[in-house]
């Protein structure tokens, strides 16, 4: 949990260098399709499963049902 004294102007770090946004960047505020475990192996998060095409160019994700 973080506490800041103002709302950040955006949460997209590519659009700002603002102080409040920089304070938020260290915290995980969005879920990803997968996360990397301690050995850098992808684990499911929003994606329930995924397949990779034989040429490695296409990743197809099956999303988990909302809780």
């Amino acid at each position: 949990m973080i506490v800041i004294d103002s709302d950040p102007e955006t949460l997209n770090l590519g659009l700002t260098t603002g102080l409040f946004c920089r304070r938020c960047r260290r915290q995980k505020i969005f879920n990803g399709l997968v996360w990397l475990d301690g050995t850098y192996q992808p684990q499911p998060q929003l994606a329930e499963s995924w397949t990779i095409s034989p040429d490695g160019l296409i990743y197809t994700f099956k999303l988990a049902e909302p809780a």
Side-chain angles (χ1 to χ4, degrees):
M1 183 169 118
I2 63 169
V3 177
I4 57 176
D5 56 357
S6 179
D7 291 333
E9 62 275 11
T10 180
L11 294 176
N12 185 340
L13 294 173
L15 299 178
T16 185
T17 57
L19 173 65
F20 299 113
C21 188
R22 287 189 312 219
R23 288 183 182 168
C24 292
R25 76 174 178 223
R26 293 184 200 107
Q27 304 298 318
K28 187 170 183 177
I29 57 175
F30 299 109
N31 287 342
L33 291 172
V34 298
W35 63 278
L36 299 178
D37 66 15
T39 60
Y40 300 103
Q41 297 302 307
Q43 301 298 321
Q45 192 167 29
L46 292 176
E48 183 175 277
S49 62
W50 57 92
T51 58
I52 305 170
S53 66
D55 61 7
L57 297 177
I58 299 173
Y59 288 64
T60 304
F61 293 91
K62 180 181 179 192
L63 299 181
E65 291 292 326

